[in-house]
Amino acid sequence: MSLAERSDPRFAEAHRELAPRLGVARRIGVTGPPGAGKSSLVEELLLRWRAAGKRLGVVAVDPSSPFSGGALLADRVRMSRLALDSGVFIRSMATRGMFGGLARATDDLADVLDAYGCDLVLLETVGVGQSEIDVARSTDLTVVVLHPGGGDTLQAMKAGLMEAADLYLVNKADLPGAERVAAELADMLDMRAEGATRPPVLLASATRGDGLDQAVATLDRLLAESEASGRLLARRSANAERRVRRLVDAHLTREAWGTAAGLDDALKRSLASDPAISPHALAEQLVRLYGAGRKESS
Amino acid sequence: MTTAPIKVLVAKPGLDGHDRGAKVVAAALRDAGMEVVYGGLHQTPEAVVEMALQEDVDVVGLSILSGAHMTLFLEVRRLLDGAGLASVLLTGGGIIPAADAEQLGGSGVGKLFGPGTTLGELAAYIEAEVGRRRAAGERT
């Protein structure tokens, strides 16, 4: 895991050995705004799956500071009842400059937990706003956790996060307003679904323990349905394609801006000699320069 | 390949419930560019070591104000070593008499910090210690 987090080339090698054992674990994303109760809910879900004898893994992501690069990873403090349970492995990670709600190596860490023999791997995102939906592209199923006080129906109708869920959990159902949030959300989803099936909306309270058995049963059912209908496989193949594209993008970016390609130098020189140069024109020049360099070296 | 930020577990073992110090330290180490896992209050030595193992931290920092430091630091050190984490720096702070700190220092516990320590001193000590262990190849 630590090799993956450091982008150590030895991880790619090690991953080849993991590969034959991958794909067994079901991956569930848990996302939602800060303070919605994601970590507390995750603990409650884990306790129930543990009682059912499942082996569990969690990758919990919290934000890195864009200023110091440091991070405070405080998700597992909400999962302390599982600290000594050998059937649960919890790993915290910082976003390190990524802005989609997960970190660069989150998929890799989930792979390690999968190969290690977990039945379920939960990916908990940072507290998200409206558009950080990377988690839907790294998991088989996405849970969006909401809470009363998060805004009116118009907020729920906006694009992005609110389209990414396979299940909505309105947490803090012990507080006033939770039922209204759930009802408005259900209305909005009915409007959009026009008769087709739409994601369920459930009320839960992590502090009181309400609604959690039902949440676990619903998640188990959704996973089983997704597998039976072939949607699970389709989603995994779309996710795999995106993941490879991301890796290629990262590789090309590193190569293009590495010293050997000379783009970085050319960029600085061009801007110094002609500060008013069109950014588009300069970008085209640099891409051509990169292409020429590639031809020469091959 | 990049150098990884220093990863630190900050936790409070034992029974005292004063976690303000631990939180101030956790925030300061974050501001010094470290990744800080906050482990919370009332942890057993076993739970601290299990967290250190799962998180692959470079440093375990314990805050102990209860007077049980002799027992707790030694127990965490013993369990860390037993879990193959001998290269992990164990440090911390609280109300710890100098003679006790010295005795713990002879048993594989790092420097312990009392009232009056600046947050800068703490971060500098951790950076130097982890830097030394990484340079010696004990940690990567």
Side-chain angles (χ1 to χ4, degrees):
Chain A
M1 286 185 163
S2 300
L3 290 178
E5 269 200 286
R6 285 198 296 270
S7 312
D8 190 313
R10 280 174 295 174
F11 182 78
E13 235 167 85
H15 197 276
R16 262 175 245 146
E17 283 173 44
L18 302 183
R21 307 167 69 170
L22 293 179
V24 179
R26 300 286 176 262
R27 300 184 189 195
I28 299 178
V30 179
T31 191
K38 295 180 291 299
S39 305
S40 306
L41 273 173
V42 165
E43 183 185 48
E44 292 294 337
L45 299 175
L46 293 174
L47 286 166
R48 283 161 178 78
W49 275 314
R50 278 303 291 149
K54 308 250 193 218
R55 277 169 71 113
L56 306 167
V58 180
V59 183
V61 188
D62 264 332
S64 293
S65 162
F67 306 103
S68 70
L72 187 68
L73 311 174
D75 288 319
R76 69 180 307 141
V77 82
R78 321 270 178 216
M79 305 177 195
S80 55
R81 276 181 286 170
L82 295 154
L84 286 173
D85 184 336
S86 61
V88 185
F89 192 104
I90 303 170
R91 176 74 173 218
S92 317
M93 67 190 307
T95 52
R96 297 191 185 171
M98 297 293 278
F99 293 99
L102 296 178
R104 192 170 283 108
T106 302
D107 284 328
D108 292 330
L109 267 57
D111 283 354
V112 175
L113 290 169
D114 185 354
Y116 170 68
C118 291
D119 301 302
L120 287 169
V121 175
L122 274 68
L123 306 186
E124 183 189 330
T125 72
V126 305
V128 301
Q130 295 172 325
S131 61
E132 300 94 327
I133 55 158
D134 279 0
V135 69
R137 294 163 177 172
S138 293
T139 53
D140 301 320
L141 197 137
T142 308
V143 181
V144 172
V145 179
L146 299 166
H147 63 116
D152 65 5
T153 330
L154 278 174
Q155 292 300 335
M157 287 165 65
K158 289 184 180 173
L161 180 66
M162 296 306 292
E163 300 171 293
D166 300 292
L167 168 68
Y168 294 90
L169 269 183
V170 180
N171 191 28
K172 310 194 187 184
D174 47 307
L175 297 183
E179 278 173 34
R180 193 174 56 85
V181 170
E184 286 183 357
L185 184 57
D187 270 353
M188 189 271 294
L189 293 169
D190 284 336
M191 231 179 341
R192 198 160 67 202
E194 289 175 356
T197 53
R198 50 101 172 150
V201 178
L202 297 178
L203 283 160
S205 166
T207 49
R208 281 203 194 155
D210 297 339
L212 296 158
D213 292 336
Q214 201 197 345
V216 166
T218 307
L219 285 167
D220 288 341
R221 175 175 62 80
L222 289 172
L223 281 171
E225 282 173 6
S226 165
E227 186 172 0
S229 69
R231 265 179 297 133
L232 184 85
L233 273 182
R235 181 156 165 176
R236 284 187 170 185
S237 107
N239 285 351
E241 186 183 319
R242 280 202 200 88
R243 185 171 168 190
V244 175
R245 280 181 200 277
R246 277 201 309 272
L247 290 170
V248 171
D249 286 350
H251 181 87
L252 289 176
T253 304
R254 255 197 324 272
E255 191 177 279
W257 295 107
T259 42
L263 260 60
D264 198 52
D265 263 0
L267 166 66
K268 283 173 186 148
R269 262 185 287 113
S270 304
L271 279 176
S273 65
D274 180 7
I277 189 170
S278 149
H280 294 281
L282 179 53
E284 271 173 38
Q285 273 177 36
L286 292 177
V287 171
R288 275 199 298 276
L289 175 69
Y290 178 63
R294 299 264 318 152
K295 240 176 256 164
E296 235 168 71
S297 66
S298 63
Chain B
M1 186 174 150
T2 48
T3 327
I6 294 171
K7 195 167 180 183
V8 187
L9 171 66
V10 172
K12 272 192 71 68
L15 295 176
D16 82 273
H18 303 279
D19 60 351
R20 190 175 173 91
K23 284 179 175 162
V24 168
V25 165
L29 297 181
R30 178 205 66 196
D31 291 342
M34 300 180 199
E35 292 181 350
V36 183
V37 179
Y38 187 68
L41 285 167
H42 306 316
Q43 300 299 315
T44 61
E46 288 79 8
V48 169
V49 172
E50 187 59 33
M51 286 193 271
L53 190 69
Q54 293 185 1
E55 298 289 353
D56 192 17
V57 293
D58 302 294
V59 183
V60 173
L62 302 179
S63 163
I64 302 175
L65 304 169
S66 62
H69 47 267
M70 295 309 282
T71 318
L72 289 169
F73 274 110
L74 291 177
E75 182 62 0
V76 170
R77 182 75 267 173
R78 190 181 69 80
L79 293 170
L80 281 172
D81 293 352
L85 300 175
S87 67
V88 169
L89 169 65
L90 175 61
T91 178
I95 309 298
I96 296 156
D100 288 358
E102 198 176 323
Q103 197 185 329
L104 289 169
S107 309
V109 177
K111 210 167 156 184
L112 300 176
F113 298 86
T117 309
T118 67
L119 296 166
E121 277 170 58
L122 192 59
Y125 169 71
I126 289 175
E127 272 161 17
E129 269 298 310
V130 174
R132 190 179 62 71
R133 285 164 204 231
R134 285 181 177 177
E138 293 167 26
R139 294 206 60 83
T140 47

